[in-house]
Amino acid sequence: QHEKKGQHLLIEAISNLSKKGVNNFTVDFIGDGDSKKHLIDLTKKYNLEEYVNFLGLKSREFIFDNLKYYDLLIQPSIYEGFGLTVAEAILSKVPVLVSKNDGPLEIVRNGDFGYCSELRSVEDMASKIEYIIKTYASQEMNNKVEEGYIYCKDNFDIFSTANRYLKLYRSEERRVGKEC
């Protein structure tokens, strides 16, 4: 799974940051997928146990209730579809860092509403994490978070999406009715 989701790249980026003395963070991994053992072994290899927590499988409710307490969501995926967790983080007003994949890039609108790192680039990811830590709570970040919230609320919120579909369906229904 890590070959798709890129969590190993995040661990390597954390290792790079730790070597540079940037260590004022912790990273939580949620889930119990096939890659968990590999990721734990990688964490031990780089001596990152004090920075990395493996929380195991958590319910969607737990994630939704706790997401707002995080300072950053990182999605280092090598392959990713829509990226629901990215939209959920933005709707929780949590800054996001995504790798440059079509789905997540659509959500952050190519960096307008979040930060982006080059695909598969440990160095760029580490650099972006360091930048985010240094500029946390800056006007730039606040703008990204607030504008991203509005964008995601208008475009990806379940209620907004359902209403758009209903409007579309009703307009199609009227058009079809007129054609008969």
Side-chain angles (χ1 to χ4, degrees):
Q1 189 73 353
H2 64 276
E3 295 92 0
K4 180 180 177 189
K5 295 296 184 179
Q7 302 103 319
H8 63 294
L9 301 172
L10 176 55
I11 290 172
E12 291 176 31
I14 293 165
S15 177
N16 286 3
L17 290 170
S18 175
K19 289 174 187 170
K20 288 177 63 177
V22 178
N23 54 15
N24 54 337
F25 59 84
T26 59
V27 175
D28 291 342
F29 285 99
I30 297 175
D32 277 332
D34 296 338
S35 294
K36 185 174 180 182
K37 182 183 178 335
H38 174 73
L39 298 173
I40 290 171
D41 291 345
L42 200 57
T43 299
K44 289 177 183 175
K45 173 185 173 184
Y46 293 125
N47 298 311
L48 297 172
E49 295 91 343
E50 66 184 286
Y51 304 111
V52 180
N53 304 300
F54 292 91
L55 304 182
L57 193 60
K58 298 292 181 187
S59 68
R60 298 291 304 153
E61 183 177 280
F62 172 88
I63 294 168
F64 186 74
D65 289 344
N66 289 280
L67 189 55
K68 62 187 170 226
Y69 299 117
Y70 283 90
D71 295 320
L72 177 65
L73 177 115
I74 301 173
Q75 190 176 64
S77 298
I78 297 167
Y79 305 101
E80 190 65 50
F82 174 69
L84 179 62
T85 56
V86 174
E88 290 172 338
I90 291 172
L91 288 168
S92 296
K93 296 192 174 184
V94 173
V96 297
L97 170 61
V98 302
S99 56
K100 292 185 176 179
N101 278 301
D102 290 341
L105 280 177
E106 176 188 355
I107 297 167
V108 300
R109 210 168 73 190
N110 295 315
D112 290 343
F113 309 129
Y115 299 89
C116 306
S117 64
E118 294 300 322
L119 193 61
R120 293 187 175 99
S121 175
V122 170
E123 295 78 18
D124 192 45
M125 187 184 311
S127 173
K128 294 294 184 345
I129 293 169
E130 184 175 12
Y131 175 80
I132 291 166
I133 289 171
K134 287 180 178 178
T135 61
Y136 201 80
S138 65
Q139 192 61 47
E140 172 196 354
M141 182 177 290
N142 289 335
N143 289 346
K144 282 183 186 283
V145 168
E146 289 302 320
E147 292 169 9
Y149 173 81
I150 293 166
Y151 176 74
C152 282
K153 188 102 172 117
D154 290 347
N155 291 284
F156 305 119
D157 177 78
I158 189 75
F159 299 109
S160 300
T161 302
N163 283 330
R164 272 198 314 279
Y165 279 123
L166 283 172
K167 286 178 186 175
L168 179 64
Y169 175 76
R170 288 180 182 139
S171 70
E172 287 293 318
E173 197 174 63
R174 280 194 297 271
R175 195 173 70 207
V176 170
K178 291 178 181 177
E179 290 174 1
C180 294

